[in-house]
Structures are given as C-alpha cells and as structure tokens.
Amino acid sequence: MKKILFSLICIVGICMATEKTSTFDVKGMMCGNGCVKKINRAMDSMEGIKSREVDFDKSSMIVIYDDQLVSDKMIIAALKENNYSCSLKEKPKKNSPIISFFKSLFN
C-alpha cells in the first residue's frame, strides 16, 4: 500500500510540474565565444533551468525552465548582473506537464 501511495504522489508531482519556454533578446554580447560562455554559466547557476541556447548571431537566448523555481524576471536579473541587457522576446509557452514528463524520460 505504501508503494502505491508513494507512486501516486510521484505521478501527481510530475504532472503538476510545468515547464516554460521563453525567448529573450540579449544585448551587449561582443563576441561569440566568451560572452556566450558567460551567459551559459549564469543560466547554469540557476536552479530550475532545464536547458538554454544562446545565439550570438541573432542576439537571442531560448530557455526552458521550471516555472515553479524560476521566472522570466529572475532570468533577466541574472543577465543584468552579468552586464547584459535582456528582454522577453515573446510570451512564454507553457509545455504540457505530460509532454514535459515524456520529454524528460528521453533527454
């Protein structure tokens, strides 16, 4: 019975967790190597960031994150602390909890 209850709690927790995908405009990058690494380190230091992709040529960044742990404002603040100007490019996309669960199984 304990195993069933534990399994049920885990499944509910996974289904309630939501992922968001946001695209940001990033200004202030001067090079495609060092600046990208610095931004990646800033994102990696934040709990809840699932993945990030920084594009120097487009001056943009796509971030997939757990919206229970991280917000767009926190991401923008982290970049400002590293001397980059950052703004939300488009409205964040909420990923379905079920789709997120299956994506996490195969990543």
Side-chain angles (χ1 to χ4, degrees), residues 9 16-17 21 28 39 50 53 71 79:
I9 290 171
M16 297 302 288
T21 302
I39 292 171
K50 307 255 177 166
E53 183 178 330
S71 70
L79 280 151

Side-chain angles (χ1 to χ4, degrees), residues 4-42:
I4 294 172
L5 184 60
F6 178 73
S7 298
L8 201 58
I9 290 171
C10 289
I11 291 171
V12 169
I14 289 170
C15 290
M16 297 302 288
T18 57
E19 279 185 0
K20 276 189 178 179
T21 302
S22 295
T23 303
F24 297 90
D25 281 322
V26 181
K27 304 295 181 207
M29 290 190 284
M30 301 297 179
C31 61
N33 192 20
C35 294
V36 171
K37 285 182 181 179
K38 187 175 179 182
I39 292 171
N40 284 336
R41 278 194 306 268

Side-chain angles (χ1 to χ4, degrees), residues 7-84:
S7 298
L8 201 58
I9 290 171
C10 289
I11 291 171
V12 169
I14 289 170
C15 290
M16 297 302 288
T18 57
E19 279 185 0
K20 276 189 178 179
T21 302
S22 295
T23 303
F24 297 90
D25 281 322
V26 181
K27 304 295 181 207
M29 290 190 284
M30 301 297 179
C31 61
N33 192 20
C35 294
V36 171
K37 285 182 181 179
K38 187 175 179 182
I39 292 171
N40 284 336
R41 278 194 306 268
M43 293 297 100
D44 291 343
S45 70
M46 298 179 71
E47 185 178 347
I49 302 288
K50 307 255 177 166
S51 70
R52 77 285 181 274
E53 183 178 330
V54 181
D55 188 330
F56 173 73
D57 295 327
K58 294 181 182 177
S59 295
S60 68
M61 174 176 68
I62 299 172
V63 183
I64 299 173
Y65 58 95
D66 182 341
D67 69 346
Q68 299 293 317
L69 300 172
V70 182
S71 70
D72 294 328
K73 290 180 182 179
M74 291 169 71
I75 293 169
I76 291 169
L79 280 151
K80 279 188 178 183
E81 286 177 14
N82 286 281
N83 302 317
Y84 297 101

Side-chain angles (χ1 to χ4, degrees), residues 32 83 90 101 107:
N83 302 317
E90 61 185 45
F101 170 71
N107 283 338

